[in-house]
Amino acid sequence: MLTNVAVIVYDGVAPFELGVVCEAFGLDRTDDGIPRLDFAVCADEPGAIETTQGFSINVSDGLDRVADADLVAVPAVPRSFEAPEPVVAALRAAHDRGARILSVCSGAFVLGQAGLLDGRRCTTHWKYTHELARRFPEATVVPEVLYVDAGSVVTSAGTAAGIDACLHIWRQEHGAAAAAQIARRMVVPPQRDGGQAQFISRPVPDLAGETFGPLQQWIVEHLHEDLDVDTLARQAVMSPRTFARRFKDEVGATPHAWVTRQRVLRAEQLLERTDRSVDWIASEVGFGNAATLRHHFGRVRGLSPQAYRRRFACRDETCTDEAAS
């Protein structure tokens, strides 16, 4: 389980992406029932580190701190020059001993330099995916997705996608309740899946009223119902064909994929916070039966509902039985 995080920086680090990792893993949220992580920002040469915005940060920890980390993160850094060799060596050593590696945006190029993308699926900001594939031909670059979880290596796109990847890791390591609580504190939605598009084809709908925010909220409140495209199109007052196209343009995922993800998220919450049977939960979230829930849950989480419950079931006063009524 994740307890120790180290972030590697050097001259040219992007302060926003560094801030994303610090916000996600470095804050003390024990008052919200979230475990506090041992967190540090590290550099090959401790001291003043120049950022891309013309100011510097003072780093006190050296790369020896990386040796203790369960997760080693690399925020966005310049693609135009190679990372210092001690940084590359520290990443390789951390990976070889079993630590998980995370990159945000162009930090993927450092992972590529270290050979950690070879034979793996990965991503970066959509502007740089072609360059990443050209420079590291042994990697399988997945363009336009928010993040890629390749097990020991997680790569994310730019800016907000880094938040999504961090919340994904929190969810995997400490469960849906912890990830949702951190998302609330960061005032961001916890629902975005890694396979969603980095950007949408139509950022501003053609008609002012055609935004799917209210519909998405309605879906979350009606997960137990039949939510096929025809049903959702009627709710949105559109033809099914127009609805399906516009939904993907605005949300970045097909209606079926988005609804399925919401059902899995709700199942996670119920598995953590209640002792209801898997059959009951499957019906409550709209999967209909336990077999369908197990299928979709396994695809998203990589383990069965029962195994998820054993790992993440809440056992303290911060958890409430949401289905008691």
Short mmCIF file of all heavy atoms in Angstrom, two decimals, residues 8-77:
data_model
loop_
_atom_site.label_atom_id
_atom_site.label_comp_id
_atom_site.label_asym_id
_atom_site.label_seq_id
_atom_site.Cartn_x
_atom_site.Cartn_y
_atom_site.Cartn_z
N ILE A 8 10.84 13.89 -8.34
CA ILE A 8 12.16 14.29 -8.84
C ILE A 8 12.02 15.53 -9.70
O ILE A 8 11.20 15.57 -10.63
CB ILE A 8 12.82 13.16 -9.65
CG1 ILE A 8 13.03 11.93 -8.77
CG2 ILE A 8 14.13 13.62 -10.24
CD1 ILE A 8 13.66 10.76 -9.51
N VAL A 9 12.82 16.56 -9.40
CA VAL A 9 12.82 17.79 -10.19
C VAL A 9 14.24 18.16 -10.58
O VAL A 9 15.21 17.73 -9.94
CB VAL A 9 12.16 18.96 -9.43
CG1 VAL A 9 10.72 18.65 -9.09
CG2 VAL A 9 12.94 19.30 -8.16
N TYR A 10 14.35 18.95 -11.63
CA TYR A 10 15.62 19.58 -12.00
C TYR A 10 15.29 20.84 -12.77
O TYR A 10 14.11 21.14 -13.02
CB TYR A 10 16.53 18.63 -12.78
CG TYR A 10 15.92 17.99 -14.00
CD1 TYR A 10 15.96 18.62 -15.24
CD2 TYR A 10 15.32 16.74 -13.93
CE1 TYR A 10 15.42 18.02 -16.38
CE2 TYR A 10 14.78 16.12 -15.04
CZ TYR A 10 14.84 16.78 -16.27
OH TYR A 10 14.31 16.18 -17.38
N ASP A 11 16.30 21.64 -13.13
CA ASP A 11 16.06 22.93 -13.77
C ASP A 11 15.15 22.79 -14.98
O ASP A 11 15.36 21.92 -15.84
CB ASP A 11 17.39 23.56 -14.20
CG ASP A 11 18.17 24.15 -13.04
OD1 ASP A 11 17.56 24.35 -11.97
OD2 ASP A 11 19.38 24.41 -13.18
N GLY A 12 14.14 23.65 -15.02
CA GLY A 12 13.18 23.63 -16.11
C GLY A 12 11.88 22.96 -15.75
O GLY A 12 11.00 22.80 -16.61
N VAL A 13 11.71 22.56 -14.50
CA VAL A 13 10.47 21.91 -14.09
C VAL A 13 9.30 22.88 -14.23
O VAL A 13 9.44 24.08 -14.01
CB VAL A 13 10.58 21.38 -12.64
CG1 VAL A 13 10.72 22.53 -11.65
CG2 VAL A 13 9.38 20.52 -12.29
N ALA A 14 8.14 22.35 -14.63
CA ALA A 14 6.94 23.17 -14.76
C ALA A 14 6.25 23.26 -13.41
O ALA A 14 5.87 22.23 -12.83
CB ALA A 14 6.00 22.56 -15.80
N PRO A 15 6.05 24.44 -12.86
CA PRO A 15 5.52 24.55 -11.49
C PRO A 15 4.09 24.06 -11.33
O PRO A 15 3.73 23.55 -10.27
CB PRO A 15 5.63 26.06 -11.19
CG PRO A 15 5.72 26.72 -12.52
CD PRO A 15 6.42 25.76 -13.42
N PHE A 16 3.24 24.21 -12.37
CA PHE A 16 1.86 23.74 -12.21
C PHE A 16 1.82 22.24 -12.05
O PHE A 16 1.17 21.71 -11.15
CB PHE A 16 1.00 24.18 -13.40
CG PHE A 16 -0.46 23.88 -13.19
CD1 PHE A 16 -1.31 24.86 -12.69
CD2 PHE A 16 -0.99 22.63 -13.47
CE1 PHE A 16 -2.65 24.59 -12.46
CE2 PHE A 16 -2.33 22.35 -13.25
CZ PHE A 16 -3.16 23.33 -12.75
N GLU A 17 2.50 21.51 -12.95
CA GLU A 17 2.47 20.05 -12.87
C GLU A 17 3.16 19.55 -11.60
O GLU A 17 2.74 18.55 -11.01
CB GLU A 17 3.13 19.45 -14.12
CG GLU A 17 2.26 19.49 -15.37
CD GLU A 17 2.17 20.87 -16.02
OE1 GLU A 17 2.88 21.79 -15.56
OE2 GLU A 17 1.41 21.01 -16.99
N LEU A 18 4.20 20.25 -11.16
CA LEU A 18 4.79 19.91 -9.86
C LEU A 18 3.78 20.13 -8.75
O LEU A 18 3.64 19.31 -7.85
CB LEU A 18 6.04 20.77 -9.62
CG LEU A 18 6.66 20.68 -8.22
CD1 LEU A 18 7.09 19.26 -7.88
CD2 LEU A 18 7.83 21.65 -8.09
N GLY A 19 3.04 21.23 -8.83
CA GLY A 19 2.03 21.52 -7.82
C GLY A 19 0.93 20.48 -7.78
O GLY A 19 0.40 20.17 -6.71
N VAL A 20 0.58 19.93 -8.94
CA VAL A 20 -0.44 18.88 -8.99
C VAL A 20 -0.03 17.69 -8.13
O VAL A 20 -0.81 17.18 -7.31
CB VAL A 20 -0.68 18.43 -10.44
CG1 VAL A 20 -1.41 17.09 -10.48
CG2 VAL A 20 -1.48 19.48 -11.20
N VAL A 21 1.20 17.24 -8.29
CA VAL A 21 1.68 16.08 -7.54
C VAL A 21 1.78 16.41 -6.05
O VAL A 21 1.43 15.60 -5.19
CB VAL A 21 3.04 15.60 -8.09
CG1 VAL A 21 3.51 14.36 -7.33
CG2 VAL A 21 2.93 15.28 -9.58
N CYS A 22 2.26 17.63 -5.74
CA CYS A 22 2.36 18.04 -4.33
C CYS A 22 0.98 18.10 -3.69
O CYS A 22 0.79 17.67 -2.55
CB CYS A 22 3.06 19.39 -4.23
SG CYS A 22 4.80 19.38 -4.71
N GLU A 23 0.01 18.66 -4.41
CA GLU A 23 -1.36 18.77 -3.89
C GLU A 23 -1.97 17.39 -3.67
O GLU A 23 -2.66 17.14 -2.68
CB GLU A 23 -2.22 19.58 -4.86
CG GLU A 23 -3.69 19.66 -4.50
CD GLU A 23 -4.00 20.64 -3.39
OE1 GLU A 23 -3.10 21.44 -3.04
OE2 GLU A 23 -5.13 20.62 -2.88
N ALA A 24 -1.74 16.49 -4.62
CA ALA A 24 -2.37 15.17 -4.55
C ALA A 24 -1.78 14.29 -3.45
O ALA A 24 -2.51 13.57 -2.77
CB ALA A 24 -2.24 14.46 -5.90
N PHE A 25 -0.46 14.35 -3.27
CA PHE A 25 0.18 13.40 -2.36
C PHE A 25 0.86 14.04 -1.15
O PHE A 25 1.18 13.33 -0.19
CB PHE A 25 1.23 12.58 -3.12
CG PHE A 25 0.67 11.75 -4.23
CD1 PHE A 25 0.95 12.05 -5.56
CD2 PHE A 25 -0.14 10.65 -3.96
CE1 PHE A 25 0.43 11.27 -6.59
CE2 PHE A 25 -0.66 9.88 -4.98
CZ PHE A 25 -0.37 10.19 -6.31
N GLY A 26 1.08 15.35 -1.17
CA GLY A 26 1.90 15.97 -0.14
C GLY A 26 1.16 16.62 1.01
O GLY A 26 1.78 16.94 2.03
N LEU A 27 -0.15 16.83 0.88
CA LEU A 27 -0.89 17.51 1.94
C LEU A 27 -1.30 16.55 3.06
O LEU A 27 -1.57 15.38 2.81
CB LEU A 27 -2.14 18.18 1.37
CG LEU A 27 -1.93 19.35 0.41
CD1 LEU A 27 -3.26 20.02 0.12
CD2 LEU A 27 -0.93 20.36 0.95
N ASP A 28 -1.38 17.09 4.26
CA ASP A 28 -1.86 16.31 5.40
C ASP A 28 -3.38 16.40 5.44
O ASP A 28 -3.95 17.46 5.71
CB ASP A 28 -1.26 16.88 6.68
CG ASP A 28 -1.69 16.10 7.92
OD1 ASP A 28 -2.52 15.17 7.79
OD2 ASP A 28 -1.19 16.43 9.01
N ARG A 29 -4.06 15.30 5.13
CA ARG A 29 -5.52 15.24 5.14
C ARG A 29 -6.03 14.25 6.19
O ARG A 29 -7.10 13.68 6.04
CB ARG A 29 -6.04 14.87 3.75
CG ARG A 29 -5.71 15.89 2.66
CD ARG A 29 -6.41 15.52 1.35
NE ARG A 29 -6.22 16.54 0.33
CZ ARG A 29 -5.25 16.52 -0.59
NH1 ARG A 29 -4.37 15.54 -0.59
NH2 ARG A 29 -5.17 17.48 -1.48
N THR A 30 -5.26 14.06 7.22
CA THR A 30 -5.67 13.10 8.25
C THR A 30 -6.96 13.54 8.95
O THR A 30 -7.70 12.70 9.48
CB THR A 30 -4.56 12.91 9.30
OG1 THR A 30 -4.12 14.20 9.78
CG2 THR A 30 -3.36 12.19 8.69
N ASP A 31 -7.26 14.86 8.95
CA ASP A 31 -8.51 15.30 9.56
C ASP A 31 -9.72 14.84 8.76
O ASP A 31 -10.84 14.84 9.27
CB ASP A 31 -8.52 16.82 9.69
CG ASP A 31 -8.33 17.55 8.36
OD1 ASP A 31 -7.77 16.95 7.43
OD2 ASP A 31 -8.76 18.71 8.26
N ASP A 32 -9.50 14.41 7.50
CA ASP A 32 -10.57 13.85 6.68
C ASP A 32 -10.52 12.33 6.64
O ASP A 32 -11.21 11.70 5.83
CB ASP A 32 -10.47 14.38 5.25
CG ASP A 32 -10.89 15.83 5.13
OD1 ASP A 32 -11.77 16.25 5.90
OD2 ASP A 32 -10.33 16.55 4.28
N GLY A 33 -9.69 11.73 7.48
CA GLY A 33 -9.59 10.28 7.50
C GLY A 33 -8.70 9.70 6.41
O GLY A 33 -8.72 8.50 6.17
N ILE A 34 -7.90 10.56 5.77
CA ILE A 34 -7.00 10.11 4.70
C ILE A 34 -5.61 9.86 5.30
O ILE A 34 -5.09 10.71 6.04
CB ILE A 34 -6.90 11.17 3.59
CG1 ILE A 34 -8.29 11.55 3.08
CG2 ILE A 34 -6.02 10.67 2.45
CD1 ILE A 34 -9.06 10.42 2.48
N PRO A 35 -4.99 8.73 5.00
CA PRO A 35 -3.65 8.49 5.56
C PRO A 35 -2.64 9.52 5.06
O PRO A 35 -2.64 9.89 3.89
CB PRO A 35 -3.32 7.08 5.07
CG PRO A 35 -4.19 6.85 3.89
CD PRO A 35 -5.45 7.61 4.16
N ARG A 36 -1.78 9.95 5.95
CA ARG A 36 -0.73 10.90 5.56
C ARG A 36 0.44 10.13 4.96
O ARG A 36 0.90 9.12 5.51
CB ARG A 36 -0.26 11.69 6.78
CG ARG A 36 0.77 12.76 6.43
CD ARG A 36 1.11 13.62 7.62
NE ARG A 36 2.03 14.69 7.26
CZ ARG A 36 2.43 15.65 8.09
NH1 ARG A 36 1.97 15.65 9.35
NH2 ARG A 36 3.26 16.59 7.70
N LEU A 37 0.93 10.62 3.83
CA LEU A 37 2.04 9.98 3.15
C LEU A 37 3.35 10.67 3.50
O LEU A 37 3.39 11.88 3.71
CB LEU A 37 1.83 10.02 1.63
CG LEU A 37 0.52 9.43 1.10
CD1 LEU A 37 0.46 9.55 -0.42
CD2 LEU A 37 0.35 7.99 1.53
N ASP A 38 4.41 9.91 3.54
CA ASP A 38 5.75 10.46 3.66
C ASP A 38 6.11 11.02 2.29
O ASP A 38 6.20 10.27 1.31
CB ASP A 38 6.73 9.37 4.09
CG ASP A 38 8.08 9.93 4.51
OD1 ASP A 38 8.29 11.14 4.34
OD2 ASP A 38 8.92 9.15 4.98
N PHE A 39 6.28 12.33 2.18
CA PHE A 39 6.37 12.99 0.87
C PHE A 39 7.60 13.90 0.83
O PHE A 39 7.92 14.58 1.81
CB PHE A 39 5.12 13.82 0.64
CG PHE A 39 5.10 14.57 -0.67
CD1 PHE A 39 4.64 13.96 -1.82
CD2 PHE A 39 5.55 15.88 -0.73
CE1 PHE A 39 4.63 14.65 -3.03
CE2 PHE A 39 5.54 16.58 -1.92
CZ PHE A 39 5.08 15.96 -3.08
N ALA A 40 8.29 13.90 -0.33
CA ALA A 40 9.44 14.77 -0.48
C ALA A 40 9.65 15.13 -1.94
O ALA A 40 9.36 14.34 -2.84
CB ALA A 40 10.70 14.10 0.07
N VAL A 41 10.14 16.33 -2.17
CA VAL A 41 10.60 16.77 -3.49
C VAL A 41 12.12 16.67 -3.49
O VAL A 41 12.78 17.17 -2.56
CB VAL A 41 10.15 18.21 -3.80
CG1 VAL A 41 10.69 18.67 -5.15
CG2 VAL A 41 8.63 18.29 -3.79
N CYS A 42 12.67 16.03 -4.50
CA CYS A 42 14.10 15.68 -4.50
C CYS A 42 14.78 16.22 -5.77
O CYS A 42 14.15 16.38 -6.81
CB CYS A 42 14.29 14.17 -4.47
SG CYS A 42 13.25 13.33 -3.27
N ALA A 43 16.07 16.44 -5.66
CA ALA A 43 16.85 16.90 -6.81
C ALA A 43 18.24 16.27 -6.76
O ALA A 43 18.74 15.91 -5.70
CB ALA A 43 16.97 18.42 -6.82
N ASP A 44 18.84 16.16 -7.94
CA ASP A 44 20.21 15.64 -8.03
C ASP A 44 21.16 16.53 -7.23
O ASP A 44 22.04 16.04 -6.51
CB ASP A 44 20.62 15.58 -9.50
CG ASP A 44 22.09 15.23 -9.68
OD1 ASP A 44 22.63 14.49 -8.82
OD2 ASP A 44 22.69 15.67 -10.68
N GLU A 45 20.96 17.84 -7.34
CA GLU A 45 21.76 18.80 -6.60
C GLU A 45 20.81 19.68 -5.79
O GLU A 45 20.24 20.63 -6.32
CB GLU A 45 22.62 19.65 -7.54
CG GLU A 45 23.63 18.84 -8.35
CD GLU A 45 24.49 19.71 -9.24
OE1 GLU A 45 24.34 20.95 -9.17
OE2 GLU A 45 25.30 19.16 -10.00
N PRO A 46 20.59 19.36 -4.52
CA PRO A 46 19.67 20.15 -3.70
C PRO A 46 20.06 21.62 -3.70
O PRO A 46 21.23 21.99 -3.84
CB PRO A 46 19.82 19.53 -2.32
CG PRO A 46 20.28 18.13 -2.59
CD PRO A 46 21.17 18.22 -3.79
N GLY A 47 19.04 22.46 -3.55
CA GLY A 47 19.26 23.90 -3.59
C GLY A 47 18.23 24.54 -4.48
O GLY A 47 17.10 24.06 -4.60
N ALA A 48 18.60 25.64 -5.12
CA ALA A 48 17.68 26.38 -5.97
C ALA A 48 17.48 25.66 -7.31
O ALA A 48 18.45 25.34 -8.00
CB ALA A 48 18.20 27.79 -6.21
N ILE A 49 16.24 25.39 -7.65
CA ILE A 49 15.87 24.75 -8.92
C ILE A 49 15.04 25.75 -9.72
O ILE A 49 14.00 26.24 -9.25
CB ILE A 49 15.06 23.46 -8.69
CG1 ILE A 49 15.86 22.47 -7.83
CG2 ILE A 49 14.65 22.84 -10.01
CD1 ILE A 49 17.12 21.94 -8.49
N GLU A 50 15.48 26.07 -10.94
CA GLU A 50 14.76 27.01 -11.79
C GLU A 50 13.52 26.36 -12.40
O GLU A 50 13.57 25.21 -12.85
CB GLU A 50 15.67 27.52 -12.90
CG GLU A 50 16.82 28.38 -12.42
CD GLU A 50 16.34 29.67 -11.81
OE1 GLU A 50 15.34 30.25 -12.29
OE2 GLU A 50 16.97 30.13 -10.83
N THR A 51 12.42 27.10 -12.42
CA THR A 51 11.20 26.62 -13.06
C THR A 51 11.03 27.29 -14.43
O THR A 51 11.77 28.22 -14.77
CB THR A 51 9.96 26.94 -12.21
OG1 THR A 51 9.68 28.35 -12.27
CG2 THR A 51 10.17 26.52 -10.76
N THR A 52 10.05 26.83 -15.17
CA THR A 52 9.79 27.40 -16.49
C THR A 52 9.16 28.79 -16.41
O THR A 52 9.06 29.48 -17.43
CB THR A 52 8.83 26.49 -17.29
OG1 THR A 52 7.63 26.31 -16.53
CG2 THR A 52 9.47 25.15 -17.58
N GLN A 53 8.74 29.21 -15.23
CA GLN A 53 8.04 30.49 -15.09
C GLN A 53 8.93 31.61 -14.55
O GLN A 53 8.43 32.67 -14.16
CB GLN A 53 6.82 30.31 -14.18
CG GLN A 53 5.80 29.35 -14.72
CD GLN A 53 5.28 29.76 -16.09
OE1 GLN A 53 4.89 30.90 -16.29
NE2 GLN A 53 5.31 28.83 -17.04
N GLY A 54 10.24 31.38 -14.53
CA GLY A 54 11.15 32.46 -14.17
C GLY A 54 11.43 32.62 -12.70
O GLY A 54 12.14 33.55 -12.29
N PHE A 55 10.91 31.74 -11.86
CA PHE A 55 11.26 31.77 -10.44
C PHE A 55 11.86 30.42 -10.06
O PHE A 55 11.74 29.43 -10.80
CB PHE A 55 10.05 32.10 -9.57
CG PHE A 55 8.92 31.09 -9.64
CD1 PHE A 55 8.91 29.96 -8.84
CD2 PHE A 55 7.87 31.29 -10.53
CE1 PHE A 55 7.88 29.04 -8.90
CE2 PHE A 55 6.82 30.37 -10.60
CZ PHE A 55 6.83 29.24 -9.79
N SER A 56 12.49 30.36 -8.93
CA SER A 56 13.12 29.11 -8.48
C SER A 56 12.48 28.61 -7.22
O SER A 56 11.79 29.34 -6.50
CB SER A 56 14.63 29.32 -8.26
OG SER A 56 14.85 30.28 -7.23
N ILE A 57 12.66 27.33 -6.96
CA ILE A 57 12.21 26.70 -5.72
C ILE A 57 13.41 26.14 -5.01
O ILE A 57 14.42 25.79 -5.65
CB ILE A 57 11.16 25.60 -5.98
CG1 ILE A 57 11.76 24.52 -6.90
CG2 ILE A 57 9.90 26.18 -6.60
CD1 ILE A 57 10.83 23.32 -7.10
N ASN A 58 13.34 26.07 -3.71
CA ASN A 58 14.45 25.53 -2.93
C ASN A 58 14.16 24.10 -2.53
O ASN A 58 13.15 23.82 -1.87
CB ASN A 58 14.70 26.38 -1.70
CG ASN A 58 15.97 25.95 -0.97
OD1 ASN A 58 17.06 25.98 -1.54
ND2 ASN A 58 15.83 25.55 0.28
N VAL A 59 15.00 23.18 -2.95
CA VAL A 59 14.82 21.74 -2.68
C VAL A 59 15.91 21.29 -1.72
O VAL A 59 17.10 21.51 -1.97
CB VAL A 59 14.89 20.94 -3.99
CG1 VAL A 59 14.79 19.44 -3.71
CG2 VAL A 59 13.78 21.38 -4.93
N SER A 60 15.50 20.66 -0.63
CA SER A 60 16.47 20.26 0.39
C SER A 60 16.88 18.80 0.30
O SER A 60 17.94 18.42 0.82
CB SER A 60 15.91 20.54 1.79
OG SER A 60 14.68 19.86 1.98
N ASP A 61 16.05 17.95 -0.33
CA ASP A 61 16.36 16.52 -0.39
C ASP A 61 17.09 16.15 -1.67
O ASP A 61 16.76 16.64 -2.76
CB ASP A 61 15.07 15.69 -0.30
CG ASP A 61 14.51 15.64 1.10
OD1 ASP A 61 15.16 15.03 1.97
OD2 ASP A 61 13.43 16.21 1.34
N GLY A 62 18.05 15.23 -1.53
CA GLY A 62 18.76 14.70 -2.68
C GLY A 62 18.12 13.42 -3.18
O GLY A 62 17.11 12.94 -2.64
N LEU A 63 18.71 12.83 -4.20
CA LEU A 63 18.13 11.64 -4.82
C LEU A 63 18.20 10.40 -3.94
O LEU A 63 17.53 9.41 -4.23
CB LEU A 63 18.82 11.37 -6.16
CG LEU A 63 18.58 12.41 -7.26
CD1 LEU A 63 19.34 12.02 -8.53
CD2 LEU A 63 17.09 12.56 -7.56
N ASP A 64 18.99 10.46 -2.86
CA ASP A 64 19.01 9.32 -1.94
C ASP A 64 17.64 9.08 -1.32
O ASP A 64 17.29 7.96 -0.95
CB ASP A 64 20.05 9.53 -0.84
CG ASP A 64 19.85 10.83 -0.08
OD1 ASP A 64 19.36 11.81 -0.68
OD2 ASP A 64 20.18 10.87 1.11
N ARG A 65 16.82 10.14 -1.26
CA ARG A 65 15.46 10.01 -0.71
C ARG A 65 14.58 9.13 -1.58
O ARG A 65 13.62 8.52 -1.10
CB ARG A 65 14.86 11.43 -0.59
CG ARG A 65 13.41 11.51 -0.20
CD ARG A 65 13.14 10.90 1.18
NE ARG A 65 11.74 11.09 1.54
CZ ARG A 65 10.72 10.41 1.00
NH1 ARG A 65 10.96 9.49 0.07
NH2 ARG A 65 9.48 10.64 1.40
N VAL A 66 14.90 9.02 -2.88
CA VAL A 66 14.11 8.21 -3.81
C VAL A 66 14.15 6.74 -3.43
O VAL A 66 13.21 5.98 -3.69
CB VAL A 66 14.60 8.43 -5.25
CG1 VAL A 66 13.86 7.53 -6.24
CG2 VAL A 66 14.45 9.89 -5.65
N ALA A 67 15.24 6.32 -2.80
CA ALA A 67 15.41 4.90 -2.47
C ALA A 67 14.36 4.37 -1.52
O ALA A 67 14.14 3.15 -1.45
CB ALA A 67 16.81 4.68 -1.88
N ASP A 68 13.68 5.26 -0.79
CA ASP A 68 12.67 4.83 0.18
C ASP A 68 11.25 4.90 -0.36
O ASP A 68 10.30 4.50 0.32
CB ASP A 68 12.74 5.70 1.44
CG ASP A 68 14.08 5.57 2.15
OD1 ASP A 68 14.62 4.45 2.16
OD2 ASP A 68 14.57 6.59 2.67
N ALA A 69 11.06 5.41 -1.58
CA ALA A 69 9.73 5.74 -2.07
C ALA A 69 9.01 4.54 -2.68
O ALA A 69 9.62 3.73 -3.39
CB ALA A 69 9.81 6.86 -3.10
N ASP A 70 7.70 4.45 -2.41
CA ASP A 70 6.83 3.48 -3.09
C ASP A 70 6.41 4.00 -4.46
O ASP A 70 6.15 3.22 -5.38
CB ASP A 70 5.56 3.22 -2.27
CG ASP A 70 5.85 2.84 -0.84
OD1 ASP A 70 6.71 1.97 -0.64
OD2 ASP A 70 5.23 3.43 0.07
N LEU A 71 6.29 5.33 -4.57
CA LEU A 71 5.91 5.98 -5.81
C LEU A 71 6.91 7.10 -6.09
O LEU A 71 7.19 7.93 -5.23
CB LEU A 71 4.50 6.58 -5.70
CG LEU A 71 4.03 7.44 -6.88
CD1 LEU A 71 3.81 6.58 -8.12
CD2 LEU A 71 2.73 8.19 -6.52
N VAL A 72 7.44 7.10 -7.31
CA VAL A 72 8.37 8.15 -7.74
C VAL A 72 7.73 8.89 -8.91
O VAL A 72 7.35 8.28 -9.91
CB VAL A 72 9.73 7.57 -8.17
CG1 VAL A 72 10.68 8.70 -8.59
CG2 VAL A 72 10.34 6.75 -7.04
N ALA A 73 7.57 10.20 -8.77
CA ALA A 73 6.87 11.00 -9.78
C ALA A 73 7.82 11.95 -10.48
O ALA A 73 8.74 12.51 -9.86
CB ALA A 73 5.73 11.78 -9.14
N VAL A 74 7.57 12.17 -11.78
CA VAL A 74 8.33 13.13 -12.57
C VAL A 74 7.33 14.09 -13.21
O VAL A 74 6.57 13.69 -14.09
CB VAL A 74 9.16 12.44 -13.67
CG1 VAL A 74 9.95 13.48 -14.46
CG2 VAL A 74 10.10 11.41 -13.07
N PRO A 75 7.28 15.34 -12.78
CA PRO A 75 6.37 16.31 -13.41
C PRO A 75 6.89 16.76 -14.77
O PRO A 75 7.92 16.27 -15.25
CB PRO A 75 6.35 17.46 -12.40
CG PRO A 75 7.65 17.37 -11.69
CD PRO A 75 8.02 15.90 -11.66
N ALA A 76 6.18 17.67 -15.39
CA ALA A 76 6.57 18.15 -16.71
C ALA A 76 7.93 18.84 -16.64
O ALA A 76 8.20 19.65 -15.76
CB ALA A 76 5.52 19.11 -17.24
N VAL A 77 8.79 18.49 -17.59
CA VAL A 77 10.14 19.04 -17.69
C VAL A 77 10.45 19.29 -19.16
O VAL A 77 9.75 18.79 -20.05
CB VAL A 77 11.19 18.07 -17.09
CG1 VAL A 77 11.07 18.02 -15.57
CG2 VAL A 77 11.02 16.67 -17.67
#
